[in-house]
Amino acid sequence: MDVTVNNRFGVLLAEKRAQEKRNIPLAEVAEDTGIPPKTLFAWANNTVTRFDVHVINAVCKYFGVKPGDLFEYTEDDPPPTAKKKK
């Protein structure tokens, strides 16, 4: 079974842009959070391979969300069904 954990940074940023009715560049998010732009780019493109606690904390504070709102868990393959004994 393959498990995928995706981050919702891009979705949350799009929602914030729509709510504030303005473009919010990653450079501005980097300045507000103290997270390097390269790291935010990886989050925005969902190519993060390691989730650092200080980044999660800063992103959650920036968007006003909890960690559970920041991540999405999906199973690529459903678990095999157990065979019934006769």
Side-chain angles (χ1 to χ4, degrees), residues 57-74:
N57 188 47
V59 170
C60 285
K61 283 183 180 180
Y62 180 78
F63 289 117
V65 299
K66 294 179 181 179
D69 301 322
L70 183 58
F71 296 103
E72 179 178 74
Y73 170 88
T74 58

Side-chain angles (χ1 to χ4, degrees), residues 6-9 12 43 56 59-60 66-71:
N6 294 306
N7 76 74
R8 298 184 64 245
F9 179 90
L12 294 170
W43 276 74
I56 294 168
V59 170
C60 285
K66 294 179 181 179
D69 301 322
L70 183 58
F71 296 103

